[in-house]
Amino acid sequence: MEKVNIGSQGFTLPMPQAILGTHIEGRPNYMALGWVTRVNYSPPLIGIGVHKGHATHQAITETGQFSINFPSTEMVNITDYVGLVSNKRVDKSELFDRFYGELKDAPLIKECPLSLECKLYETVSLPTNTLFIGEIVGTWCEERYMTDGVPDISKIKPFVLTMPDNRYWEVGRCVGHAWKAGKALKK
């Protein structure tokens, strides 16, 4: 079969679904976040894409702090909700039980199995979004979501977002081990 060009918005590979936590006018605010990726090992840096018109964009710019909280599949509805409503019209500060680590303007969500607190490292201005690069200063996870001291994806039960079909998906089974599966092909 021949490949067909389906245009510039056909990217359908999954993105981890998260909830971005910030402080706006002294109170917590949350936003659904799909555009998130690790960008550096040491220091540990993570990149997030946030539209310039969002209140959350302004909050990160002003405070230089944010949290990235990874919800479980049981949290699909509330995660979607925080992406549907704007802080400009709805106070989202009491939607979650929260706690704080080292950073006072990065509210962490107790209900999420895994949370990262980040301080702003660098910004890259793009036409409609800003790529905020944050340095991870703390990773928070309960023992029940870990195996051998590290977060266990099968216990966390995260979900992913695909676009342009705008769907959430559960993470499936393990199909191999990184830095091991390809060793058999080495000559």
Side-chain angles (χ1 to χ4, degrees), residues 69-83:
N69 303 274
F70 294 96
S72 67
T73 53
E74 291 82 22
M75 297 178 69
V76 168
N77 291 347
I78 191 73
T79 302
D80 196 56
Y81 174 76
V82 298

Side-chain angles (χ1 to χ4, degrees), residues 25-146:
E25 298 171 354
R27 71 179 194 276
N29 182 58
Y30 305 99
M31 181 190 98
L33 175 69
W35 297 358
V36 56
T37 187
R38 185 82 181 252
V39 297
N40 199 67
Y41 180 75
S42 183
L45 302 177
I46 193 161
I48 59 171
V50 180
H51 192 278
K52 292 177 180 178
H54 289 313
T56 301
H57 184 282
Q58 178 184 345
I60 295 171
T61 302
E62 289 175 2
T63 68
Q65 300 177 8
F66 57 93
S67 66
I68 303 171
N69 303 274
F70 294 96
S72 67
T73 53
E74 291 82 22
M75 297 178 69
V76 168
N77 291 347
I78 191 73
T79 302
D80 196 56
Y81 174 76
V82 298
L84 290 172
V85 297
S86 170
N87 179 71
K88 295 172 185 172
R89 290 178 289 287
V90 176
D91 180 358
K92 299 183 265 183
S93 65
E94 298 299 324
L95 289 175
F96 304 103
D97 289 331
R98 64 187 172 275
F99 67 101
Y100 293 86
E102 179 181 322
L103 307 174
K104 66 177 177 58
D105 289 318
L108 300 153
I109 299 173
K110 286 183 181 178
E111 295 90 339
C112 289
L114 181 68
S115 297
L116 309 175
E117 62 177 319
C118 304
K119 65 180 180 181
L120 190 58
Y121 183 86
E122 189 170 332
T123 61
V124 178
S125 182
L126 303 168
T128 58
N129 290 10
T130 295
L131 176 65
F132 290 110
I133 300 171
E135 181 175 355
I136 302 167
V137 299
T139 302
W140 301 87
C141 187
E142 292 177 46
E143 287 285 335
R144 66 182 168 142
Y145 297 116
M146 293 190 277

Side-chain angles (χ1 to χ4, degrees), residues 3 8 11 14 26 100 158 170 180:
K3 299 245 183 191
S8 65
F11 183 82
Y100 293 86
E170 288 183 288
K180 291 182 183 176

